[in-house]
Amino acid sequence: MAKQLNIFVDNKPGRLSAVTETLATNGINIFIFTIQDRGDFGLIKLIVDKTSGLEQIDNTAFPRLVVEDGKSLMQAPSKSAFS
């Protein structure tokens, strides 16, 4: 079942690449994505095939990650590997 990820990243070159490489390394496929520019930061919204690989990712990789899974929301710590 598809899941939505919302990832807040600093608006700097290479951030999208870092996100997609991390997901690919953990076997998570992206179906659709959008990016919103908010000045100093960006919001990446992705529809992915699964979220089960996310627990294998170091929490610093996704500093502000929200997984929308029905009623549950998970948020990683605020330290950023993408800053």
Side-chain angles (χ1 to χ4, degrees):
M1 176 185 276
K3 305 290 183 189
Q4 181 174 328
L5 304 180
N6 296 318
I7 305 172
F8 296 89
V9 295
D10 292 321
N11 193 359
K12 296 181 180 177
R15 300 309 179 240
L16 179 60
S17 175
V19 169
T20 57
E21 287 175 13
T22 301
L23 292 175
T25 299
N26 288 279
I28 299 173
N29 297 306
I30 300 169
F31 295 133
I32 300 168
F33 73 93
T34 64
I35 301 172
Q36 297 175 350
D37 181 0
R38 301 290 186 205
D40 291 340
F41 69 94
L43 172 60
I44 303 171
K45 293 185 176 188
L46 306 109
I47 303 296
V48 297
D49 63 344
K50 62 182 180 176
T51 57
S52 58
L54 290 175
E55 63 272 1
Q56 302 301 318
I57 299 172
D58 181 0
N59 284 342
T60 59
F62 294 104
R64 291 154 283 191
L65 164 68
V66 178
V67 179
E68 295 184 21
D69 180 12
K71 297 178 183 175
S72 69
L73 291 176
M74 297 179 293
Q75 188 160 349
S78 61
K79 185 175 180 183
S80 174
F82 296 132
S83 316

